[in-house]
């Protein structure tokens, strides 16, 4: 099976924990090259930050690709989320997300819409309005990203971190509703382990709309450090002829270097695995 490997990094320290070498992006790129990763996924807060152009140049010079741009830091750090009904927040966040699309376009990298969704709050009527605001923001961003060749990945997140779009099927329903061909689903095995009755069945349900994967283990550490059967999942991906990225969005335990090494060891085993 041929899939491409990536590891999730951040140029700045972040409140969001499952990132490697957060605040040490130069070391992150060096390590990714040394260990044989194909790409990095970068968590970015503000596309206008001074580090962003330097980071882009360094990724290009390294020979790595940019697999995806994670957007959750706008919510975790600044409280900006897709579900906000405040026009000022909507404009500020949309400006950031469009800037991230512009940054991603050089690699045709994916823009991840996960934690940036935020949380629904208040009475039911208010929550319905917030959910509708999120869908409208997704619609506008998908329309902006489409001519740039950039795909948007809806990532299901478990119920303890957000209260809407928790499962693969819920994200697929939104993709069907919005109707843009550049919308895909991004299953994350840590969240799936909490929310899905069957991980293989969720993969199969996603079908051709499965466009990117996060492979943390059940404890959010490197794959192979918990109890998820990744070999079973790879067999399903083989059936589906999946050839996209599988990313190590994992906790830096016991440290970033060791976690990156363990993830790559598992990725190599998965690449060579064949169903008996």
């Amino acid at each position: 099976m041929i899939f491409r490997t990536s590891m999730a990094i951040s140029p700045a320290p972040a409140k969001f924990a499952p990132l490697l070498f957060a605040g040490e992006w130069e070391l992150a790129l060096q390590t990714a090259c040394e260990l044989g990763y194909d790409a990095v996924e970068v968590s970015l807060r503000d596309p206008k930050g001074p580090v962003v152009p330097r980071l882009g140049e360094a990724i290009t010079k390294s020979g790595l690709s940019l697999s995806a741009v994670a957007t959750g830091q706008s919510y975790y750090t600044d409280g900006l989320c897709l579900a906000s009904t405040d026009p000022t927040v909507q404009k500020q966040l949309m400006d950031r997300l469009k800037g991230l699309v512009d940054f991603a376009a050089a690699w045709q990298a994916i823009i991840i819409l996960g934690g940036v969704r935020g949380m629904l709050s208040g009475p039911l009527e208010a929550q319905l309005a917030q959910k509708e605001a999120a869908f409208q923001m997704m619609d506008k961003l998908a329309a902006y990203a489409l001519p740039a060749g950039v795909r948007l990945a809806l990532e299901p997140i478990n119920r303890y971190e957000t209260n809407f779009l928790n499962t693969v099927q819920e994200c697929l329903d939104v993709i069907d509703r919005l109707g843009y061909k550049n919308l895909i689903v991004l299953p994350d095995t840590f969240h799936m382990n909490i929310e899905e009755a069957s991980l293989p069945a969720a993969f199969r349900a996603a079908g051709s709309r499965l466009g990117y994967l996060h492979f943390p283990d059940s404890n959010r550490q490197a794959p192979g450090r918990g109890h998820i059967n990744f070999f079973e999942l790879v067999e399903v991906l083989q059936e589906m002829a999946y050839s996209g990225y599988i990313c190590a969005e994992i906790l830096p335990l016991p440290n970033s270097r060791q976690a990156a090494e363990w993830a790559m060891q598992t990725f190599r085993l998965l690449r060579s695995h064949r169903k008996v």
Side-chain angles (χ1 to χ4, degrees), residues 42-235:
V42 178
S43 179
L44 291 176
R45 173 178 165 266
D46 186 349
K48 295 180 180 178
V51 73
V52 175
R54 293 169 50 213
L55 175 64
E57 291 173 7
I59 292 173
T60 300
K61 289 179 180 178
S62 72
L64 296 166
S65 187
L66 177 68
S67 62
V69 176
T71 60
Q73 286 195 44
S74 281
Y75 175 62
Y76 298 125
T77 302
D78 301 318
L80 305 178
C81 70
L82 295 174
S84 174
T85 56
D86 182 334
T88 302
V89 171
Q90 290 177 348
K91 183 180 185 309
Q92 186 178 356
L93 180 57
M94 183 58 70
D95 287 346
R96 283 192 183 184
L97 293 174
K98 286 181 176 179
L100 294 177
V101 168
D102 295 342
F103 175 73
W107 296 270
Q108 292 196 318
I110 287 164
I111 298 292
I112 299 172
L113 301 179
V116 76
R117 292 197 299 274
M119 295 275 287
L120 306 179
S121 61
L124 178 59
E125 185 177 352
Q127 291 193 23
L128 291 175
Q130 292 160 21
K131 188 180 292 187
E132 188 62 30
F135 295 158
Q136 290 178 10
M137 290 279 281
M138 292 176 190
D139 185 284
K140 292 176 183 177
L141 189 64
Y144 181 82
L146 184 60
V150 172
R151 293 180 294 167
L152 309 183
L154 304 190
E155 180 182 12
I157 294 178
N158 75 77
R159 72 192 74 180
Y160 304 109
E161 297 182 42
T162 188
N163 55 359
F164 75 117
L165 302 189
N166 306 118
T167 67
V168 166
Q169 187 58 57
E170 288 168 351
C171 287
L172 293 174
D173 291 343
V174 174
I175 291 171
D176 288 340
R177 170 185 164 167
L178 296 178
Y180 288 92
K181 64 181 181 180
N182 61 331
L183 290 174
I184 58 174
V185 66
L186 189 173
D188 179 304
T189 46
F190 170 77
H191 299 299
M192 295 177 78
N193 186 58
I194 297 171
E195 296 294 343
E196 304 290 349
S198 167
L199 276 65
F203 279 10
R204 291 189 175 101
S208 62
R209 292 170 293 181
L210 194 160
Y212 195 89
L213 286 161
H214 284 162
F215 259 29
D217 217 318
S218 54
N219 51 13
R220 219 165 195 172
Q221 294 187 38
R225 310 304 294 178
H227 65 245
I228 292 176
N229 186 344
F230 289 100
F231 294 97
E232 176 187 36
L233 297 182
V234 161
E235 290 174 3

Side-chain angles (χ1 to χ4, degrees), residues 4-6 38-39 65-67 211-213 242-247:
R4 291 167 287 174
T5 59
S6 181
D38 299 306
S65 187
L66 177 68
S67 62
Y212 195 89
L213 286 161
Y242 180 78
S243 59
Y245 281 103
I246 296 180
C247 179

